[in-house]
Amino acid sequence: MPARMVAVNRILEREQLAPHVFRIRVEAPLIAEERRPGQFVILQIDSEFGERIPLTIADADPEEGSITLIFQAVGKSTQQLAALNVGGKIANLLGPLGRPTEIKSFGRVIAVGGGIGVAPMFPIVQALKREGNRITTIIGARTRELVILESEMRSVSEELIVCTDDGSYGRKAVVTEPLAELCRSERLPDLVVAIGPAIMMKFCVETVRHHDIPVMVSLNTIMVDGTGMCGGCRVTVDGETKFVCVDGPEFDGRLVDFNNMLKRLEAYRDQEERRLHECRIEEVRE
Amino acid sequence: MSRATPELLEREATRLLNSIEGAELTRKQRLEIPQQTIPAQDPVERRSNMSEVTLGYTEAQARLEAARCLQCKNAVCVEGCPVGVDIPSFIQAIEDGRYAEAIAIIHRTNILPAICGRVCPQENQCQATCTVGKVHKDPLKAVSIGRLERFVADYERSTQGSGVPEVKPETGKRVAVIGSGPASITVAADLRREGHAVTILEAFHRPGGVMVYGIPEFRLPKAIVEDEIHTLERMGVEIRTNFLVGRTRRLHDLFDKDGYDAVFIGSGAGLPKFLGIEGENLVGVFSANEFLTRSNLMKAYDREHAETPIFQPRKVAVFGGGNVAMDAARTAVRLEAEEVNVIYRRTRTEMPARAEEVDNAEEEGVRFHFLRSPKRILGNEDERVVGVECLAYELGEPDDSGRRRPVPIPGSETVIEVDTALVSIGNDSHPLITQTTPELETNKWGNILTDENGKTSMDRVYAGGDIVLGAATVILAMGEGRKAAASIHELLTSDSDDSA
């Protein structure tokens, strides 16, 4: 009897890139076939009580039928995901979700990736390069060991600038400093792409606001279904309510109300911290 | 308010039943049988649990209620049923104690009796036209058809388990059904019965559509929905979860890559509507969809086990007057909100919610503010909700829907202090499939256009349920599904004839 067909979503490869940062390759033939840069998946570790979490697709191999996800194990669900080994299965995996990135020839592009945001940035920069764009990439991280995908990014960028907050690697700077400098040069970029923590994207937008340059950002708001049904992911863009899951995740950052978005990201902070705390207590007990 | 316990109701019903057992009842005697009260959980007790509120008739109650039916020759009740259940016959079978037969009669036209018996608005459908209600000059005194349907469905579930409807020999035709709510389930069952291979494609990790993400446990236990889904699976319907048509696969590819012979779109309601007022994106404002999905599908009410958080409401405002608004309000009550206010811009009479659900909400302590509508939502410096400013309304001339149009009274603003606002004013149609399938014609609201047989502008593609109707009910969606299934079957049959 056929009954319920559940894709296997088996983990083919697992690698730790940095403290708390993992890269996994997951068997997902349908998603690998359809996905375009900029799209994401929603996954759930446990069908019964698990949380649905959105993760941007870092890469895909349609031949092999696999997708690559890079994530930071910060919450309980991502920690559970990090604990899965090769051969392990993700109970539910839905995608690809969101609108793909608009890939065309812009000219000169500055790509700013902060922390784990470098992961979704990579396929975008890769596709932009294929279209003949000249790309300068700025990677920012708190400290040296949190810099990820440096060589991958270097391979698709004309120039690569690495900054760390503590100066342990590359420049001691936040990403907006080289961004501002690059925008002071004679020839302004035609497009800035900024992906990273909401606060970083906000400041990237502010840094170039006085130039007339579009700043494409990829928003990581809270969502449940990821298909347009709950409205939890809504943001104010140019005074209008937009749903990140179906209208986004990419928007022109100049039009995004980041202050409201930052507050909305905190909606469940208390509860999440409590959960995480309980989960650490469990770990200690074990 | 004191409530009759099920035991008491059963004893009383048994006594009455024994007194009439075996006698040939006259019309007058039937009309004298008291309408049976449905046993329910105590209102105070149920405020703190998610269990089903109404408990269902006992056997004696059901037989007694069935005896109230006059077995009208013209069966006006059947005309009121979107799927045309043979109501007098199944009620007669209950009166005679032939329960297996009663359920078989319902199953001929309705695959989801345990669900419909619970969530159909019978008072506007089969019961609205019931002769017994007319004789008593009170439609609420009609034969309780829905409760009888529920009784016999539950009785069957608890005794022998749901039977599997018969499936004809395989035709070799394959149909993809998008979504797994009531419209899709009906289509899947009807087509499978005819021997076609059916695959349901569901975006969520669990099938059932609105019946699992939207309607709360206390109104429709999830175990019942699961049972109904299992029935489909036992018939050989294949269910693929985590499959979003429009993203995982485009509609065309269901034909081009997967080789289906026909597709039914039952993807349901989509984007929740917001009011477009100031403060709507503050922290603490949620669509009823989100609040209910977190609580129901993600089980966030079970704080001990669920990983999905839900906002802890203290003082709540619910905007809207439909069944979803009632579900959201009553869910907030169960999440231990201190105060839940429903704000509706017309009066109780115009509320689209079922009267029974409004009464249930009121019993559970939900407060109603009629002729009020939110003007803006107030927030503090942390962008968290602190109150809602409402404008008072009065009823003016009737509008297109026939309901009197609410007109705002200038200068009538008042503020209700709340920290949570739940917006329940309906949904826009879901954009994903239509966005990625340009040749699919829609109306200006984005609902897919179909002819009277459920056929869309695209060859071999049919649609039904909320994606066509806008927000409707479980049973209307099923009615649509029934029509579409019939035309799909016709199409597939003519295919076979052509190739023969």
Side-chain angles (χ1 to χ4, degrees), chain A residues 1-6 30-31 33-34 36 39 44 47-52 76-77 80 91-100 222-232 234-236 241 243 245-246 259-260 263-264 266-268 271-272 275, chain B residues 203-207 213 229-230 233-234 236-244 247-250 253 257 270-272 274 280-283 285-287 289-290 293-294 298-299 302-312 381-384 430 432 435:
Chain A
M1 195 59 93
R4 207 158 303 182
M5 288 180 46
V6 181
L30 286 179
I31 302 175
E33 186 181 332
E34 283 295 317
R36 299 286 172 271
Q39 291 189 297
Q44 189 189 31
S47 292
E48 206 54 39
F49 291 108
E51 192 176 3
R52 292 168 66 93
K76 187 164 176 191
S77 303
Q80 285 170 334
N92 296 295
L93 183 63
L94 171 69
L97 301 174
R99 289 173 186 265
I222 294 171
M223 54 182 75
V224 184
D225 61 294
T227 68
M229 216 202 62
C230 81
R234 67 195 191 278
V235 284
T236 312
T241 293
F243 290 5
C245 67
V246 291
N259 292 339
N260 177 254
K263 296 291 184 191
R264 289 181 61 81
E266 306 269 302
Y268 300 101
Q271 291 171 59
E272 272 156 13
R275 272 235 154 253
Chain B
F204 269 134
H205 55 277
R206 195 181 294 277
Y213 73 74
I229 299 273
H230 283 151
E233 291 178 327
R234 295 211 309 265
V237 171
E238 187 180 277
I239 299 179
R240 284 193 82 154
T241 50
N242 302 309
F243 195 109
L244 179 63
R247 290 279 188 244
T248 309
R249 267 272 198 267
R250 266 165 293 211
D253 292 336
K257 290 185 182 167
L271 315 186
F274 288 90
E280 211 157 27
N281 291 346
L282 290 168
V283 178
V285 185
F286 304 94
S287 73
N289 269 5
E290 177 178 0
T293 302
R294 283 178 184 272
M298 308 309 296
K299 301 193 174 80
D302 185 348
R303 292 195 183 88
E304 216 180 300
H305 299 101
E307 301 292 346
T308 304
I310 192 161
F311 197 77
Q312 178 55 56
E381 64 282 0
D382 279 332
E383 305 235 347
R384 289 191 174 241
H430 206 285
L432 278 186
Q435 258 176 21

Side-chain angles (χ1 to χ4, degrees), chain A residues 173-242:
Chain A
V174 289
V175 290
T176 48
E177 290 170 49
L179 176 63
E181 288 159 19
L182 288 167
C183 290
R184 237 176 266 137
S185 64
E186 274 162 39
R187 174 125 159 58
L188 284 174
D190 301 291
L191 173 73
V192 173
V193 185
I195 307 180
I199 192 79
M200 182 210 91
M201 294 190 281
K202 175 189 157 156
F203 281 109
C204 287
V205 169
E206 289 316 315
T207 304
V208 298
R209 192 180 286 284
H210 57 286
H211 302 297
D212 189 24
I213 310 169
V215 186
M216 195 207 80
V217 294
S218 176
L219 304 183
N220 52 346
T221 50
I222 294 171
M223 54 182 75
V224 184
D225 61 294
T227 68
M229 216 202 62
C230 81
C233 64
R234 67 195 191 278
V235 284
T236 312
V237 180
D238 203 14
E240 264 181 61
T241 293
K242 295 281 180 195

Side-chain angles (χ1 to χ4, degrees), chain A residues 56-109:
Chain A
T56 312
I57 303 167
D59 205 353
D61 183 344
E63 311 265 286
E64 187 193 43
S66 69
I67 59 169
T68 300
L69 302 172
I70 297 180
F71 61 96
Q72 198 166 12
V74 281
K76 187 164 176 191
S77 303
T78 40
Q79 285 175 359
Q80 285 170 334
L81 182 61
L84 290 177
N85 290 315
V86 171
K89 292 165 195 166
I90 297 170
N92 296 295
L93 183 63
L94 171 69
L97 301 174
R99 289 173 186 265
T101 310
E102 189 192 2
I103 301 292
K104 60 173 192 184
S105 172
F106 292 92
R108 190 168 162 240
V109 177

Side-chain angles (χ1 to χ4, degrees), chain B residues 19-32:
Chain B
S19 73
I20 58 169
E21 191 88 72
E24 192 64 44
L25 295 177
T26 64
R27 177 183 161 97
K28 184 157 175 290
Q29 282 172 317
R30 289 187 184 274
L31 286 168
E32 278 168 1

Side-chain angles (χ1 to χ4, degrees), chain A residues 267-284:
Chain A
Y268 300 101
R269 185 57 52 93
D270 300 353
Q271 291 171 59
E272 272 156 13
E273 272 168 11
R274 200 164 52 236
R275 272 235 154 253
L276 200 58
H277 179 70
E278 284 163 9
C279 146
R280 294 222 170 97
I281 291 174
E282 276 167 32
E283 263 171 37
V284 172

Side-chain angles (χ1 to χ4, degrees), chain A residues 86-188:
Chain A
V86 171
K89 292 165 195 166
I90 297 170
N92 296 295
L93 183 63
L94 171 69
L97 301 174
R99 289 173 186 265
T101 310
E102 189 192 2
I103 301 292
K104 60 173 192 184
S105 172
F106 292 92
R108 190 168 162 240
V109 177
I110 301 180
V112 188
I116 194 80
V118 178
M121 180 68 90
F122 175 66
I124 295 173
V125 170
Q126 196 180 32
L128 285 172
K129 182 182 163 64
R130 217 172 289 139
E131 285 296 312
N133 292 285
R134 280 165 299 112
I135 299 149
T136 301
T137 299
I138 304 171
I139 295 183
R142 231 172 44 240
T143 184
R144 175 177 196 142
E145 55 185 0
L146 295 176
V147 174
I148 58 166
L149 303 184
E150 186 189 347
S151 61
E152 285 89 339
M153 282 308 240
R154 195 177 299 281
S155 71
V156 288
S157 313
E158 278 195 355
E159 185 190 4
L160 180 81
I161 302 166
V162 181
C163 329
T164 50
D165 293 359
D166 62 2
S168 55
Y169 187 60
R171 271 177 72 171
K172 181 179 189 313
V174 289
V175 290
T176 48
E177 290 170 49
L179 176 63
E181 288 159 19
L182 288 167
C183 290
R184 237 176 266 137
S185 64
E186 274 162 39
R187 174 125 159 58
L188 284 174

